[in-house]
């Protein structure tokens, strides 16, 4: 089965930049999106189609992809950004696959 | 603003059937969107279960396909999930979600989730 691998945890100081990676075979041929999930809450879409930001999502969230690795970058990280982050990809054979998830801690 | 709300029993006995319904408000289920179920075991990651179109066509996660059935009630703007032969491994928060029509599929609206525990 298809897998997307993320680092289990990322720590960042307030105001600094956090980068979360998502790697998977042939991810370069798919679009990636990203969700944040705070404890006890539903996931919220923050990036779609690799680098597009939905309305209402702060500009400090950005996405990129190089080869088979997608990256979510949080610039000027705030305490409110502390959450679990999941990448997700889709194709017609594997359907929807989520990454393993990354816990972002703002120290 | 579309809103989704899951409903159903919070406790299911082992080997029984899990049944959940998702109500869609602020919009119609009879749009170009597909409608999905996603689950999350306690302390673990997200897993896609399946999706359904308002016409009734459904696609399921191959790992769950033999146990899953989804249906839609267009007149009520609802869609439903049935998962049979459940075990403790099916204990999870179950979310319903809308699949965006903006090109490549992703989930743009989510319900608040409902915890279903499988236990005797």
């Amino acid at each position: 089965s298809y897998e997307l691998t993320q680092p289990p945890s990322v720590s960042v100081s307030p105001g600094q930049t956090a980068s979360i990676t998502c790697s998977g075979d042939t991810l370069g041929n798919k679009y990636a999106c990203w969700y944040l999930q705070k404890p006890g809450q539903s996931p919220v879409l923050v990036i779609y189609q690799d680098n597009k930001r939905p309305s209402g999502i702060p500009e400090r969230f950005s996405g990129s992809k190089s080869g088979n690795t997608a990256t979510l970058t949080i610039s000027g990280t705030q305490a409110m950004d502390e959450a679990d982050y999941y990448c997700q990809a889709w194709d017609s054979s594997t359907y929807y696959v989520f990454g393993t998830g990354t816990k972002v801690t703002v120290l | 603003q579309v809103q989704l709300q899951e409903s159903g029993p919070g406790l299911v006995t082992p080997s029984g059937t899990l049944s959940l319904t998702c109500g869609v408000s602020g919009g119609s289920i009879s749009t170009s969107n597909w409608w999905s179920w996603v689950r999350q075991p306690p302390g673990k990651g997200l897993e896609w279960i399946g999706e359904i179109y308002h016409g009734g066509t459904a696609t399921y996660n191959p790992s769950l396909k033999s146990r899953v059935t989804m249906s839609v009630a267009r007149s009520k703007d609802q869609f439903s999930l049935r998962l049979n032969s459940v075990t403790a491994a099916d204990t999870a928060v179950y979310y319903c979600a809308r699949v965006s029509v903006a090109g490549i599929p992703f989930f743009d609206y989510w319900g608040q989730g409902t915890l279903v525990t499988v236990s005797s």
Side-chain angles (χ1 to χ4, degrees):
Chain A
S1 61
Y2 189 68
E3 296 180 351
L4 294 173
T5 301
Q6 301 178 231
S9 63
V10 167
S11 296
V12 60
S13 299
Q16 298 304 301
T17 297
S19 295
I20 307 165
T21 57
C22 171
S23 299
D25 291 344
T26 70
L27 183 57
N29 298 327
K30 313 179 200 301
Y31 280 116
C33 62
W34 292 90
Y35 305 89
L36 71 78
Q37 185 182 34
K38 297 184 179 181
Q41 297 185 21
S42 309
V44 174
L45 180 73
V46 294
I47 293 290
Y48 66 98
Q49 284 185 229
D50 291 344
N51 55 21
K52 294 181 169 57
R53 200 171 45 249
S55 61
I57 299 301
E59 291 184 5
R60 63 180 181 274
F61 290 91
S62 63
S64 61
K65 192 170 67 180
S66 178
N68 291 327
T69 299
T71 301
L72 174 70
T73 301
I74 312 173
S75 305
T77 307
Q78 300 182 9
M80 69 171 64
D81 300 328
E82 192 164 278
D84 293 328
Y85 290 80
Y86 294 91
C87 60
Q88 179 244 305
W90 179 94
D91 77 11
S92 59
S93 59
T94 60
Y95 303 110
Y96 303 86
V97 176
F98 289 96
T100 50
T102 299
K103 182 177 182 60
V104 170
T105 301
V106 182
L107 299 173
Chain B
Q1 176 94 353
V2 172
Q3 293 185 319
L4 295 89
Q5 178 69 58
E6 306 87 352
S7 60
L11 181 65
V12 182
T13 55
S15 76
T17 297
L18 179 159
S19 296
L20 296 174
T21 295
C22 180
V24 178
S25 60
S28 171
I29 199 172
S30 300
T31 60
S32 300
N33 302 92
W34 286 68
W35 304 88
S36 265
W37 290 96
V38 176
R39 70 179 183 179
Q40 184 173 36
K44 297 188 178 181
L46 300 164
E47 179 183 34
W48 175 71
I49 300 170
E51 65 179 357
I52 191 165
Y53 195 64
H54 63 78
T57 302
T59 305
Y60 304 129
N61 186 325
S63 69
L64 298 169
K65 187 175 183 178
S66 63
R67 299 194 291 131
V68 173
T69 303
M70 293 177 64
S71 59
V72 64
R74 293 167 61 176
S75 63
K76 297 181 180 180
D77 285 319
Q78 293 177 345
F79 61 104
S80 299
L81 168 71
R82 287 174 59 88
L83 179 68
N84 58 33
S85 304
V86 297
T87 69
D90 295 308
T91 293
V93 175
Y94 285 76
Y95 297 99
C96 57
R98 190 183 82 166
V99 179
S100 172
V101 296
I104 300 300
F106 53 88
F107 307 109
D108 57 0
Y109 289 95
W110 295 70
Q112 65 183 29
T114 187
L115 174 63
V116 178
T117 301
V118 178
S119 175
S120 56

